[in-house]
Amino acid sequence: MTALQFEVLTVEPEQFAVTPNLLVTLRITEQSAAQVHAIVLNCQIRIEPQRRRYSDEEAAGLRDLFGPREQWASAVRAFQWLHTATTVPGFVGSYDATLPIPCTYDFEVTAAKYLHALDRAENDGNGPQGEVPLVPLVFLFSGSVFTRSGAGIHVERVPWHCEASYDMPVKVWHDLIAQHYPNSGWLRLDTDTMNALLRFKAAKGLTTLDAAVSLLLLHERDAGEVPK
């Protein structure tokens, strides 16, 4: 039986990628001195929002997810970010693998909405944590391990208890999004809503959909329907 241990070393934006990806540097240690032929590694990544504190500005951005602060004791719970996978080549002892995290800026996705609401700036010690704002992550591993023993290859499962925690700086996420969507965001609209917005844009003689939405919001602010 193999004895695997996992440690997340870094999470960083992938440079020069067509789509937004984070890359996890993952140290895998095999403690029984077995010769690992390969690992087909699956990973579920979860965000544990209850493990950090939030500024008032962050709380306002998270109201859509968790409701007002007085409800957070029951509403703030860990949730799944995504599943990802990689193939690890053979090694003895330890190996530093790369695990991709494909990301989206779709605000219909809970994780994107949560991460967008977090303060990206490194504070001066007066922030909610008194340190660099972090995203508490937990990596839950599964998959198959192929080991070489004698003349044969043996297969066993990655134990379900294998996991690793990592606190990712919020800045990592915002740097990734700024790299692919500078000063912008994505909204998915129903077809009827999009058509109505396009008609409004044309009727007002506006050049962009952004200008159309801004004009609608300005009208609602003046009417006192949305906060300034």
Side-chain angles (χ1 to χ4, degrees):
M1 291 288 292
T2 56
L4 296 174
Q5 183 177 24
F6 296 85
E7 179 185 4
V8 176
L9 302 180
T10 62
V11 179
E12 298 176 332
E14 181 179 6
Q15 299 297 317
F16 312 115
V18 175
T19 58
N21 292 309
L22 294 172
L23 296 180
V24 179
T25 302
L26 180 67
R27 177 159 296 167
I28 306 172
T29 302
E30 202 297 306
Q31 299 173 307
S32 71
Q35 181 179 356
V36 175
H37 183 66
I39 303 176
V40 178
L41 187 65
N42 302 316
C43 181
Q44 177 190 150
I45 304 175
R46 296 176 65 83
I47 297 176
E48 298 188 323
Q50 72 278 12
R51 291 203 290 113
R52 80 190 296 275
R53 293 186 293 165
Y54 298 89
S55 67
D56 290 341
E57 183 177 351
E58 288 174 325
L62 294 169
R63 186 183 180 92
D64 188 41
L65 286 178
F66 304 134
R69 272 195 191 269
E70 54 267 25
Q71 297 179 4
W72 283 19
S74 59
V76 179
R77 294 287 184 270
F79 60 88
Q80 179 180 303
W81 184 357
L82 51 77
H83 282 89
T84 186
T86 191
T87 301
V88 180
F91 67 91
V92 176
S94 66
Y95 182 84
D96 290 353
T98 299
L99 186 68
I101 302 180
C103 298
T104 178
Y105 204 30
D106 183 349
F107 287 109
E108 298 297 319
V109 177
T110 299
K113 190 182 299 186
Y114 171 81
L115 292 165
H116 176 78
L118 301 186
D119 183 6
R120 73 194 70 189
E122 297 187 14
N123 62 60
D124 58 4
N126 295 319
Q129 292 180 287
E131 57 184 20
V132 176
L134 303 172
V135 183
L137 304 177
V138 61
F139 296 74
L140 307 173
F141 300 102
S142 61
S144 300
V145 186
F146 299 83
T147 57
R148 187 181 297 277
S149 178
I153 298 293
H154 302 275
V155 183
E156 61 186 76
R157 300 295 297 173
V158 175
W160 288 102
H161 65 263
C162 288
E163 63 179 62
S165 296
Y166 183 79
D167 291 337
M168 180 183 76
V170 175
K171 188 175 183 294
V172 170
W173 164 261
H174 286 293
D175 284 350
L176 174 71
I177 296 305
Q179 175 182 320
H180 290 270
Y181 310 116
N183 197 34
S184 61
W186 289 100
L187 291 177
R188 184 172 58 192
L189 300 178
D190 179 84
T191 301
D192 290 341
T193 305
M194 176 61 77
N195 289 337
L197 185 61
L198 288 170
R199 288 194 296 269
F200 176 82
K201 168 180 170 289
K204 295 295 183 181
L206 303 173
T207 57
T208 65
L209 289 174
D210 184 90
V213 173
S214 296
L215 182 60
L216 288 168
L217 286 173
L218 179 62
H219 173 75
E220 294 300 308
R221 288 195 191 101
D222 291 342
E225 296 295 330
V226 296
K228 296 182 178 181

